Amino acid sequence: PRSTLFPFTTLFRSPHPENSPIEPVSIGNIKIILKKLDTTKATSTEDYPTLVSVECAKDLCIPVHNIINCVLDSGEYPGLWKHAQVAPQPMCISPTEYKQYAPTSLLFHCGKLAEDVIISKMRHKLDSVIHSSQCAYKAGVSTADNPVCRQLY
């Protein structure tokens, strides 16, 4: 399918960066993001441990930079990163029913990184087009705030 970048046609930026819908991300930014990953959070069992990304950020930042910028240039998100393992997370101390579990998606590191980069690059554009009464897709506002927002407007 068109949503996958594997096999990559290139790991480098397109020759026409002015046509890219989103500004490229720098190697330094990728390195900072890699170093700040939360090593206590779970990832897919098919992924490598988060600690590897943190400890090897200096070596991983260039290839990850190339892949993320390829995603930004092409506008295509790799299909592999769209897959997640869903794990049940207990919502109480001793759950006895399936309703007492919340689904938790375990994603791949690069997918999480790409999402963070895309969101940070699009945040200012989203803020200018999203109505002030909208509660989703805004920094610091939760969809749980929706009833409060509805009362204000």
Side-chain angles (χ1 to χ4, degrees), residues 31 33-37 39 48-61 109:
K31 188 175 180 181
I33 293 169
L34 286 170
K35 284 185 170 275
K36 289 185 177 182
L37 286 174
T39 57
Y48 54 89
T50 309
L51 188 59
V52 173
S53 290
V54 174
E55 294 292 324
C56 301
K58 180 180 176 186
D59 298 317
L60 289 174
C61 65
H109 288 95

Short mmCIF file of all heavy atoms in Angstrom, two decimals, residues 31 33-37 39 48-61 109:
data_model
loop_
_atom_site.label_atom_id
_atom_site.label_comp_id
_atom_site.label_asym_id
_atom_site.label_seq_id
_atom_site.Cartn_x
_atom_site.Cartn_y
_atom_site.Cartn_z
N LYS A 31 17.93 14.15 18.32
CA LYS A 31 18.80 13.68 19.40
C LYS A 31 18.21 14.04 20.77
O LYS A 31 18.19 13.22 21.69
CB LYS A 31 20.20 14.30 19.25
CG LYS A 31 21.22 13.74 20.20
CD LYS A 31 22.60 14.32 19.87
CE LYS A 31 23.66 13.81 20.78
NZ LYS A 31 24.96 14.40 20.47
N ILE A 33 14.99 14.57 21.46
CA ILE A 33 13.80 13.75 21.65
C ILE A 33 14.19 12.33 22.08
O ILE A 33 13.59 11.76 22.99
CB ILE A 33 12.93 13.72 20.37
CG1 ILE A 33 12.34 15.10 20.10
CG2 ILE A 33 11.82 12.68 20.49
CD1 ILE A 33 11.68 15.24 18.73
N LEU A 34 15.20 11.76 21.42
CA LEU A 34 15.64 10.41 21.77
C LEU A 34 16.14 10.34 23.21
O LEU A 34 15.83 9.40 23.94
CB LEU A 34 16.74 9.94 20.81
CG LEU A 34 16.30 9.55 19.41
CD1 LEU A 34 17.51 9.35 18.50
CD2 LEU A 34 15.45 8.29 19.43
N LYS A 35 16.91 11.34 23.62
CA LYS A 35 17.46 11.34 24.97
C LYS A 35 16.38 11.53 26.05
O LYS A 35 16.56 11.11 27.18
CB LYS A 35 18.52 12.43 25.12
CG LYS A 35 19.84 12.07 24.47
CD LYS A 35 20.87 13.13 24.76
CE LYS A 35 22.23 12.68 24.35
NZ LYS A 35 22.91 11.90 25.35
N LYS A 36 15.26 12.16 25.67
CA LYS A 36 14.20 12.43 26.64
C LYS A 36 13.11 11.36 26.68
O LYS A 36 12.12 11.53 27.39
CB LYS A 36 13.57 13.79 26.35
CG LYS A 36 14.47 14.95 26.68
CD LYS A 36 13.75 16.26 26.47
CE LYS A 36 14.63 17.43 26.87
NZ LYS A 36 13.94 18.71 26.71
N LEU A 37 13.28 10.29 25.92
CA LEU A 37 12.26 9.23 25.93
C LEU A 37 12.11 8.66 27.33
O LEU A 37 13.09 8.50 28.06
CB LEU A 37 12.63 8.11 24.95
CG LEU A 37 12.46 8.40 23.48
CD1 LEU A 37 13.00 7.24 22.65
CD2 LEU A 37 11.01 8.65 23.13
N THR A 39 11.91 5.90 29.72
CA THR A 39 12.32 4.50 29.74
C THR A 39 11.41 3.63 30.60
O THR A 39 11.54 2.41 30.60
CB THR A 39 13.78 4.35 30.25
OG1 THR A 39 13.87 4.93 31.55
CG2 THR A 39 14.75 5.02 29.31
N TYR A 48 12.65 -2.59 20.13
CA TYR A 48 13.78 -2.69 21.04
C TYR A 48 13.49 -1.85 22.29
O TYR A 48 12.65 -0.96 22.27
CB TYR A 48 15.07 -2.23 20.36
CG TYR A 48 14.98 -0.85 19.75
CD1 TYR A 48 15.30 0.27 20.50
CD2 TYR A 48 14.57 -0.67 18.44
CE1 TYR A 48 15.20 1.54 19.97
CE2 TYR A 48 14.47 0.59 17.89
CZ TYR A 48 14.79 1.69 18.65
OH TYR A 48 14.69 2.94 18.13
N PRO A 49 14.18 -2.12 23.40
CA PRO A 49 13.92 -1.37 24.64
C PRO A 49 14.19 0.12 24.48
O PRO A 49 15.11 0.53 23.78
CB PRO A 49 14.89 -1.99 25.65
CG PRO A 49 15.25 -3.32 25.09
CD PRO A 49 15.17 -3.18 23.59
N THR A 50 13.41 0.93 25.16
CA THR A 50 13.55 2.39 25.09
C THR A 50 14.93 2.83 25.55
O THR A 50 15.48 3.80 25.03
CB THR A 50 12.47 3.06 25.96
OG1 THR A 50 11.20 2.52 25.61
CG2 THR A 50 12.44 4.55 25.76
N LEU A 51 15.49 2.12 26.51
CA LEU A 51 16.81 2.47 27.03
C LEU A 51 17.86 2.48 25.92
O LEU A 51 18.79 3.28 25.95
CB LEU A 51 17.21 1.51 28.15
CG LEU A 51 18.46 1.85 28.93
CD1 LEU A 51 18.33 3.22 29.60
CD2 LEU A 51 18.75 0.79 29.97
N VAL A 52 17.69 1.63 24.90
CA VAL A 52 18.63 1.60 23.77
C VAL A 52 18.58 2.94 23.04
O VAL A 52 19.62 3.49 22.68
CB VAL A 52 18.32 0.43 22.82
CG1 VAL A 52 19.17 0.50 21.56
CG2 VAL A 52 18.52 -0.90 23.52
N SER A 53 17.39 3.47 22.81
CA SER A 53 17.26 4.77 22.13
C SER A 53 17.92 5.88 22.94
O SER A 53 18.58 6.75 22.39
CB SER A 53 15.79 5.12 21.92
OG SER A 53 15.22 4.29 20.97
N VAL A 54 17.72 5.85 24.25
CA VAL A 54 18.27 6.89 25.13
C VAL A 54 19.79 6.79 25.16
O VAL A 54 20.49 7.80 24.97
CB VAL A 54 17.67 6.78 26.54
CG1 VAL A 54 18.35 7.75 27.49
CG2 VAL A 54 16.16 7.03 26.50
N GLU A 55 20.31 5.60 25.38
CA GLU A 55 21.76 5.42 25.51
C GLU A 55 22.49 5.58 24.18
O GLU A 55 23.66 5.98 24.17
CB GLU A 55 22.06 4.03 26.10
CG GLU A 55 21.58 3.86 27.53
CD GLU A 55 22.34 4.72 28.52
OE1 GLU A 55 23.56 4.93 28.35
OE2 GLU A 55 21.69 5.21 29.47
N CYS A 56 21.84 5.27 23.08
CA CYS A 56 22.48 5.33 21.76
C CYS A 56 21.98 6.50 20.92
O CYS A 56 22.07 6.47 19.69
CB CYS A 56 22.25 4.01 21.02
SG CYS A 56 22.88 2.57 21.88
N ALA A 57 21.44 7.53 21.55
CA ALA A 57 20.86 8.67 20.84
C ALA A 57 21.85 9.30 19.86
O ALA A 57 21.48 9.68 18.75
CB ALA A 57 20.35 9.71 21.83
N LYS A 58 23.12 9.38 20.26
CA LYS A 58 24.14 10.01 19.40
C LYS A 58 24.28 9.24 18.09
O LYS A 58 24.43 9.85 17.03
CB LYS A 58 25.48 10.05 20.15
CG LYS A 58 26.60 10.67 19.37
CD LYS A 58 27.89 10.68 20.15
CE LYS A 58 29.02 11.21 19.32
NZ LYS A 58 30.31 11.09 20.01
N ASP A 59 24.23 7.92 18.15
CA ASP A 59 24.39 7.10 16.95
C ASP A 59 23.09 6.94 16.16
O ASP A 59 23.12 6.78 14.95
CB ASP A 59 24.92 5.71 17.33
CG ASP A 59 26.29 5.78 17.98
OD1 ASP A 59 27.13 6.56 17.49
OD2 ASP A 59 26.51 5.08 18.98
N LEU A 60 21.95 6.97 16.84
CA LEU A 60 20.67 6.77 16.18
C LEU A 60 20.07 8.03 15.58
O LEU A 60 19.21 7.94 14.71
CB LEU A 60 19.66 6.18 17.18
CG LEU A 60 19.88 4.75 17.62
CD1 LEU A 60 18.89 4.39 18.72
CD2 LEU A 60 19.75 3.80 16.44
N CYS A 61 20.53 9.21 16.03
CA CYS A 61 19.87 10.44 15.61
C CYS A 61 19.93 10.68 14.10
O CYS A 61 18.96 11.17 13.52
CB CYS A 61 20.38 11.64 16.39
SG CYS A 61 22.09 12.06 16.13
N HIS A 109 8.90 2.88 18.63
CA HIS A 109 9.59 4.13 18.97
C HIS A 109 9.53 5.16 17.85
O HIS A 109 9.21 6.32 18.07
CB HIS A 109 11.06 3.86 19.30
CG HIS A 109 11.28 3.18 20.58
ND1 HIS A 109 11.42 1.82 20.67
CD2 HIS A 109 11.37 3.65 21.84
CE1 HIS A 109 11.60 1.48 21.93
NE2 HIS A 109 11.58 2.57 22.66
#
